[in-house]
Amino acid sequence: GIVERVKDLPKLSYDFVIIGGGTAGNVVASRLTEDPSVSVLVLEAGGLNTGIENVSIPLQCPILTPNTPFDWNYTTTPQVGFNGRSVIYPRGHILGGSSSVNFMGYTRGPSTDYDRYAAITKDPGWSWERLLPYIFKNERWVPPADHHNTSGQFDPSVHSTTGVNFVSLPGFSHPIDQKIIQTTKDLPEFPHLVDINAGSPVGIGFTQSTIGNGARSSSATSYLSPQVIKRENLFVLLNAQVSRVLSQGDVSGKISFGVVEFTDGVGGPTKQVSAKKEIVLSAGSLATPHILLNSGIGNKTELEEIGIKTVVDNPSVGKNFSDHTATGLQWLVNSNLTLEHLHRDPAFFESELEQWEKSKTGIFTISTFNNIGWLRLPANSTIFQSSPDPSSGLKSGHFELLFTNGISRPPFPATGNFLSISVGLVSPSSRGSISINSTNPFAPPLINPQYLTTDFDIFTVREGIRAARRFVAGPAWKDYIISPVQNGTKDDELDVLIRGSAGSIWHGCGSAGMTATDAGYGVVDPDLRVKGVEGLRIVDASVLPIVPAAHPQAAVYAIAERASDLIKQAWNQK
Ligand SMILES: Cc1cc2nc3c(=O)[nH]c(=O)nc-3n(C[C@H](O)[C@H](O)[C@H](O)COP(=O)(O)OP(=O)(O)OC[C@H]3O[C@@H](n4cnc5c(N)ncnc54)[C@H](O)[C@@H]3O)c2cc1C
């Protein structure tokens, strides 16, 4: 069951205590409680995901964050690569975590990204081939909301119809969709991808999203379905913000963790629960290292400077954070059928909303991008004379183009209709960190992704912008594009645009990275156990040692499925 106060819990000791009812945490909670003899408590800082219509309506995703109760409302530290600007860093503060507020793109990324995880951990279990069964355990492929003929828009052989999270093609088409696909036929530089999730995503194709029956499918709607949540061995405590994990001394020479400290209600007094078997940290790539540092697990010198007693000296905690930036480009277009229309005409908005409420069809059933693609820099690019290629190989993009039929996030301009292409940097070489500067565990962490601090990263964004401009110069856009909003073509002009306007797309990973058992760095071993301690495992985006060259929720779901099996095996459970 789901409860809001500690007094409503039946007990204060469980086999497993999961910190964070987010994307990964709910997978683990659902899988572990398949065995009725195992008890699980999930501690989630946010509130319920149900009863909030905009959480369910796909096209309303841009207004769920920032500055809402469903968001942790973080900002980064001033970013040198962004001319000293701090930028917003949304994270879901709600059951389902970021899967309840994200933009629902379902992109597995290149197979070679997973093969690289297998190499880093020396565990073939993390390879693409060995993870595919877990990807399939997660995915439930369903028809799009409009039930259009989808043949040629995906490859059924790489999908599963028996998993848990709905995945579908866009259930409403925009006039630009056909222009985009036509351009992949007209311009050989931009190959057509029949299926973006076949493991080799270089090219442009139709977006696949965690949407089913016209509504958002999150880890809360899927893995915590009413059938799961009524299990007598599963409890979810909402409004419970974890401050620290506490050790109870040594077990066979290792420090053992089995107690979790958290608030009883928002801002309430701290209480403790214990885990008889394991604590599973699934608080995400910002909060997981934050909780570890608060608990004295981190770089000894840095913890001492703040005045936190070191329990475990692990200098890798919070380091190695890798993330994606995006630079938005717009063009003024010769059309009324863009998203601007929806935001300027309240009657149209209301009638579409009513249609969604009645039949779960229409424009509200889709996210903000029906087409997406990844591209590589040419192999003879000058940057490779001085910088190694940070991507996992020829199947991986260096940058992403994400197409929106208008402007999707407020503020909306008063006049004009637009085409937007967001240029994402998906194989960055910059690395940043998550750290703390306070002994108050409820103070926010310092988020310093160090965006665009390498020559490779700024070079690649410039080339991504040039590629986007070549794309809309294709014949399909003649008579459609009126003029670009951003001008400037020289490197220094593009740098002013990029450093002055780029933001994050909030895909951060690696802040508690997995490495080989004998690696000498890294936070968790290949079974996701925190190195050098007993009783503590991490299952969330923070263990992915390098951000995938794709939007990461598909990878997070897959690793959480495998992690659940690793935990079951470790404890001989069904
Ligand atoms: C606005 C936005 C749009 C995005 N769009 C996409 C997209 O289209 N496609 C895609 O693939 N990815 C997208 N992402 C990224 C993706 O959603 C995340 O990478 C992924 O969901 C992370 O999963 P996680 O389990 O690591 O963390 P989360 O899902 O964030 O879960 C962490 C959970 O822990 C809880 N928590 C944190 N701290 C504490 C604490 N101290 N005590 C108790 N509970 C705590 C949080 O409230 C949350 O519920 C987006 C992210 C955002 C924010």
Side-chain angles (χ1 to χ4, degrees):
I2 301 181
V3 301
E4 303 213 347
R5 298 307 294 263
V6 173
K7 66 175 173 43
D8 299 320
L9 287 174
K11 53 187 182 178
L12 292 178
S13 173
Y14 298 81
D15 291 321
F16 297 92
V17 176
I18 298 174
I19 301 176
T23 313
N26 292 339
V27 177
V28 179
S30 184
R31 292 299 183 193
L32 293 184
T33 53
E34 286 170 347
D35 182 337
S37 71
V38 173
S39 62
V40 169
L41 172 67
V42 177
L43 296 170
E44 166 55 43
L48 261 190
N49 60 303
T50 49
I52 307 160
E53 190 175 55
N54 285 338
V55 168
S56 300
I57 302 177
L59 195 64
Q60 291 290 62
C61 62
I63 63 168
L64 296 173
T65 62
N67 304 323
T68 69
F70 326 121
D71 186 2
W72 285 81
N73 299 316
Y74 292 130
T75 48
T76 67
T77 60
Q79 295 297 293
V80 176
F82 285 178
N83 289 341
R85 288 178 300 128
S86 295
V87 292
I88 59 162
Y89 209 107
R91 291 284 91 186
H93 178 261
I94 181 170
L95 195 58
S98 298
S99 76
S100 288
V101 301
N102 68 16
F103 283 30
M104 296 157 287
Y106 175 85
T107 63
R108 298 172 187 164
S111 59
T112 43
D113 279 3
Y114 299 87
D115 297 344
R116 182 157 65 172
Y117 301 151
I120 290 170
T121 56
K122 298 187 188 164
D123 177 358
W126 294 115
S127 66
W128 168 259
E129 201 184 293
R130 296 269 297 274
L131 270 181
L132 256 186
Y134 292 109
I135 291 174
F136 284 2
K137 257 183 121 169
N138 167 250
E139 178 189 57
R140 183 185 284 266
W141 182 266
V142 290
D146 61 357
H147 291 268
H148 72 267
N149 178 0
T150 53
S151 67
Q153 295 187 353
F154 79 114
D155 172 1
S157 74
V158 298
H159 291 280
S160 150
T161 53
T162 55
V164 182
N165 266 102
F166 293 134
V167 177
S168 61
L169 286 160
F172 176 90
S173 76
H174 287 295
I176 62 165
D177 297 0
Q178 278 318 314
K179 294 185 192 301
I180 293 165
I181 300 302
Q182 186 57 44
T183 306
T184 66
K185 294 173 184 153
D186 294 340
L187 304 180
E189 181 189 351
F190 304 98
H192 179 233
L193 268 184
V194 173
D195 194 306
I196 62 164
N197 280 318
S200 193
V202 175
I204 291 169
F206 279 101
T207 304
Q208 301 173 12
S209 305
T210 44
I211 295 173
N213 305 318
R216 174 190 295 272
S217 180
S218 69
S219 74
T221 63
S222 58
Y223 285 91
L224 298 186
S225 66
Q227 290 90 319
V228 173
I229 207 69
K230 73 175 187 217
R231 289 177 188 160
E232 287 178 4
N233 55 341
L234 172 60
F235 290 89
V236 176
L237 180 63
L238 299 173
N239 308 322
Q241 184 171 347
V242 171
S243 40
R244 294 182 299 168
V245 291
L246 307 172
S247 75
Q248 318 101 298
D250 288 13
V251 172
S252 52
K254 282 184 175 175
I255 295 171
S256 166
F257 287 83
V259 175
V260 182
E261 179 191 79
F262 61 96
T263 63
D264 184 10
V266 178
T270 55
K271 298 273 168 69
Q272 296 183 355
V273 286
S274 61
K276 285 179 269 188
K277 290 180 173 164
E278 290 186 17
I279 298 168
V280 180
L281 262 161
S282 297
S285 53
L286 309 183
T288 285
H290 185 202
I291 292 167
L292 291 173
L293 295 167
N294 288 336
S295 310
I297 306 173
N299 181 306
K300 189 167 189 278
T301 321
E302 290 172 17
L303 288 173
E304 265 169 13
E305 275 169 19
I306 309 161
I308 291 181
K309 187 175 165 290
T310 304
V311 182
V312 180
D313 182 14
N314 182 332
S316 297
V317 173
K319 304 294 196 285
N320 190 44
F321 187 71
S322 56
D323 196 10
H324 297 157
T325 64
T327 307
L329 301 177
Q330 291 85 32
W331 289 263
L332 200 60
V333 300
N334 184 16
S335 165
N336 290 326
L337 302 173
T338 65
L339 288 176
E340 285 72 37
H341 173 40
L342 188 68
H343 296 293
R344 287 188 195 129
D345 182 346
F348 178 54
F349 187 100
E350 278 309 315
S351 76
E352 285 294 324
L353 189 59
E354 206 173 301
Q355 181 181 343
W356 184 85
E357 286 168 345
K358 277 203 186 121
S359 64
K360 302 285 183 293
T361 58
I363 198 168
F364 279 108
T365 64
I366 52 171
S367 183
T368 55
F369 49 106
N370 277 358
N371 292 277
I372 190 169
W374 297 269
L375 296 155
R376 290 182 65 75
L377 297 172
N380 62 359
S381 295
T382 53
I383 191 69
F384 294 127
Q385 291 163 14
S386 53
S387 303
D389 180 355
S391 79
S392 63
L394 297 178
K395 293 181 175 177
S396 168
H398 292 120
F399 61 89
E400 167 184 283
L401 301 183
L402 191 149
F403 300 86
T404 301
N405 184 32
I407 290 171
S408 62
R409 288 177 82 93
F412 301 108
T415 57
N417 290 78
F418 298 89
L419 164 73
S420 302
I421 302 181
S422 163
V423 178
L425 172 67
V426 295
S427 295
S429 62
S430 300
R431 294 290 181 270
S433 66
I434 307 303
S435 61
I436 56 175
N437 63 353
S438 165
T439 52
N440 173 6
F442 301 111
L446 303 181
I447 304 161
N448 181 11
Q450 303 250 63
Y451 293 123
L452 305 180
T453 48
T454 62
D455 293 343
F456 176 86
D457 286 1
I458 188 76
F459 179 95
T460 303
V461 181
R462 277 185 219 127
E463 292 311 309
I465 291 173
R466 290 177 173 131
R469 289 173 171 172
R470 288 192 295 275
F471 191 88
V472 299
W477 305 93
K478 193 173 166 287
D479 302 329
Y480 188 78
I481 302 265
I482 299 171
S483 58
V485 172
Q486 293 85 8
N487 292 299
T489 53
K490 297 196 193 89
D491 282 4
D492 53 350
E493 291 167 335
L494 291 177
D495 289 359
V496 170
L497 165 68
I498 299 163
R499 297 199 188 281
S501 70
S504 175
I505 34 175
W506 324 303
H507 291 166
C509 291
S511 49
M514 57 175 170
T515 55
T517 310
D518 59 2
Y521 70 99
V523 178
V524 295
D525 70 15
D527 286 349
L528 309 185
R529 289 175 302 215
V530 175
K531 292 188 175 204
V533 312
E534 286 289 330
L536 208 51
R537 221 181 274 254
I538 302 179
V539 185
D540 59 27
S542 57
V543 303
L544 291 172
I546 300 172
V547 65
H551 300 232
Q553 68 166 343
V556 172
Y557 277 125
I559 59 157
E561 282 283 9
R562 178 165 187 249
S564 304
D565 266 6
L566 292 172
I567 298 171
K568 286 181 176 187
Q569 281 155 19
W571 296 95
N572 283 323
Q573 279 169 207
K574 285 186 275 175

